[in-house]
Amino acid sequence: MARSVFAFIALSTADGFIGVSPLVRSRGASKLGAFDPVGDELPKDGSDFKILERATSSSSLVKSTKMLVRAPEPIPTPALLTIDPVGTLIQHREPMGMFFREVLFDYSGLRLPRPDIFHDAYKMVYAEKCEEMPFFGKEAEVSSAEWWRDVVTRTYLEVGVPDDLLEEYMPEVFPELHEKVFTGAEGWELTKDADFVLGEIASWQESLGPKAPKLACVSDFDERLPLLLEGLGIRHYFDAVVTSKESASFEDPAAPFDAALTKFALTDAKGAVHVSAKIEGDIDAACAAGWQAVFVKGPPFSIPEANPTGAVYQRVGDILRFLDILGIEVDPYRPIETTRLVGIYDWDHDDPGDYQGYDGSGGGGGWEAPTIKG
């Protein structure tokens, strides 16, 4: 039986596509075949587009599931670079329902439903509220605090918390959620590569000198966003923060992007790039404003994203890959955090004996590998 060798992805620089499908080539197969998996006009000679297929012991190349995703294309240095941080740079520490449940429990001691019930209720109420009053009440002239208070109240009512108990505990529960949990590091955290990516962009900007692009946040968020970014330690990277509460318009989806250009006295939308993990109301709005756009979404690439406006954008699997589009070279030997090694890095440095692998000599080289028995 022929042995198989695995290979992975072949890029098409001419057509801007990646063939994403597992390949197993049997020994003796001379080259990858090329075919048209979705009927698009692709080169047939295998020079620019190579298909990755699954092979078996009876055939050197056997067709399997095929799909296409667009390969990222380099972008000339823009005049303005904006990022929606939610889902790209920052994320909730836990599902929203967990916070709703825990804060109410802390103040009331009530026996409450499971966190996922709270989370489902929150998602439903939030969607309804966005339909009723878009952009956190901007056009209805409602404060964002009032907007969110209604969301929190309706979420609790949806899971069955009685009115009288809500009336008793909301004066403490709502400020805890609105002003503390969801405005700082208790409810939010940086995504894995966020600080590294922002640091690389800052170094890149410095290297470009006066020609460096401005970096800003443009996000469907309320006026607490600058405070949140400050609490997470990344506000200093941004030259400006533009929120939907401040600048969005139901009649003009491109308004926040026009506002971002105005902040920097820019007029050429084609020289601006927006990065986001959301298409509807974000990537599509940036495209409508004439901007270039980059959608951040990890695999599987086979799941299509809703794109009702037909916006044309690029897609990368994570925020780190966005650096490739900007032409920023990342040190291939940089340390990459994988599994946290508790016991080596988290021992008490004031008490060397706290780590059992330390030989007690007090000098360097005093680490001992764990003994493996058996």
Side-chain angles (χ1 to χ4, degrees):
M1 180 179 293
R3 295 180 61 188
S4 295
V5 180
F6 285 89
F8 298 96
I9 293 179
L11 301 181
S12 164
T13 56
D15 292 279
F17 286 96
I18 303 175
V20 183
S21 181
L23 163 72
V24 182
R25 280 191 60 194
S26 294
R27 178 174 292 178
S30 60
K31 64 179 182 179
L32 300 180
F35 58 48
D36 180 354
V38 292
D40 291 339
E41 293 183 2
L42 299 173
K44 302 300 182 182
D45 60 0
S47 59
D48 289 317
F49 187 81
K50 299 190 175 185
I51 296 302
L52 311 182
E53 303 180 291
R54 186 179 303 280
T56 67
S57 58
S58 60
S59 174
S60 62
L61 286 174
V62 178
K63 294 181 181 180
S64 65
T65 303
K66 289 82 65 177
M67 53 191 163
L68 292 175
V69 293
R70 185 169 299 280
E73 300 171 359
I75 293 176
T77 302
L80 174 61
L81 171 61
T82 66
I83 303 176
D84 178 0
V86 180
T88 59
L89 301 173
I90 64 176
Q91 62 191 9
H92 286 120
R93 285 187 173 273
E94 301 284 352
M96 291 286 281
M98 178 68 78
F99 298 113
F100 275 66
R101 185 185 188 280
E102 291 305 305
V103 171
L104 180 58
F105 177 79
D106 287 343
Y107 283 102
S108 69
L110 296 171
R111 183 176 181 180
L112 299 168
R114 301 188 313 271
D116 62 295
I117 295 177
F118 277 88
H119 189 66
D120 291 343
Y122 163 75
K123 289 195 298 182
M124 182 191 72
V125 171
Y126 178 81
E128 291 174 350
K129 191 66 176 179
C130 288
E131 286 289 326
E132 296 167 11
M133 292 185 181
F135 315 126
F136 310 100
K138 175 182 182 293
E139 297 189 335
E141 298 184 353
V142 171
S143 71
S144 60
E146 184 179 349
W147 192 94
W148 278 109
R149 187 181 184 91
D150 188 50
V151 170
V152 172
T153 299
R154 288 162 57 176
T155 298
Y156 284 134
L157 290 174
E158 184 66 29
V159 299
V161 179
D163 285 329
D164 58 334
L165 291 179
L166 270 186
E167 186 176 346
E168 178 181 354
Y169 295 115
M170 277 295 283
E172 296 173 307
V173 168
F174 178 70
E176 178 83 7
L177 287 170
H178 187 258
E179 299 168 16
K180 184 178 178 183
V181 174
F182 296 133
T183 312
E186 187 172 336
W188 293 86
E189 64 183 358
L190 297 179
T191 56
K192 182 181 65 172
D193 293 309
D195 198 50
F196 174 78
V197 168
L198 290 171
E200 291 294 298
I201 291 176
S203 298
W204 173 65
Q205 288 175 302
E206 185 177 358
S207 71
L208 293 175
K211 296 182 179 179
K214 297 295 185 180
L215 178 64
C217 272
V218 174
S219 183
D220 184 15
F221 214 100
D222 60 44
E223 66 273 15
R224 294 172 299 162
L225 182 57
L227 185 60
L228 171 59
L229 298 177
E230 186 73 37
L232 294 176
I234 60 173
R235 173 64 181 89
H236 64 283
Y237 287 114
F238 299 98
D239 299 300
V241 176
V242 178
T243 67
S244 58
K245 177 63 174 176
E246 164 196 350
S247 60
S249 168
F250 188 75
E251 290 77 18
D252 182 11
F257 300 97
D258 293 337
L261 289 173
T262 301
K263 278 185 178 290
F264 300 103
L266 299 173
T267 57
D268 184 11
K270 294 181 180 178
V273 179
H274 182 60
V275 183
S276 176
K278 186 176 70 171
I279 292 180
E280 292 190 70
D282 206 343
I283 290 292
D284 55 4
C287 292
W291 290 39
Q292 300 178 75
V294 179
F295 178 48
V296 180
K297 179 67 181 295
F301 292 98
S302 58
I303 300 177
E305 298 293 331
N307 184 13
T309 65
V312 178
Y313 56 85
Q314 297 199 63
R315 177 175 177 176
V316 292
D318 56 59
I319 191 65
L320 182 62
R321 297 277 67 82
F322 176 61
L323 298 180
D324 297 338
I325 293 181
L326 293 177
I328 299 175
E329 295 185 3
V330 177
D331 179 6
Y333 299 104
R334 72 182 182 92
I336 298 176
E337 180 179 341
T338 54
T339 304
R340 188 176 177 86
L341 299 177
V342 178
I344 294 179
Y345 301 104
D346 293 340
W347 59 295
D348 186 355
H349 290 262
D350 293 327
D351 179 13
D354 182 60
Y355 177 64
Q356 64 181 19
Y358 185 72
D359 66 2
S361 66
W367 300 104
E368 296 179 348
T371 302
I372 301 176
K373 298 180 179 180

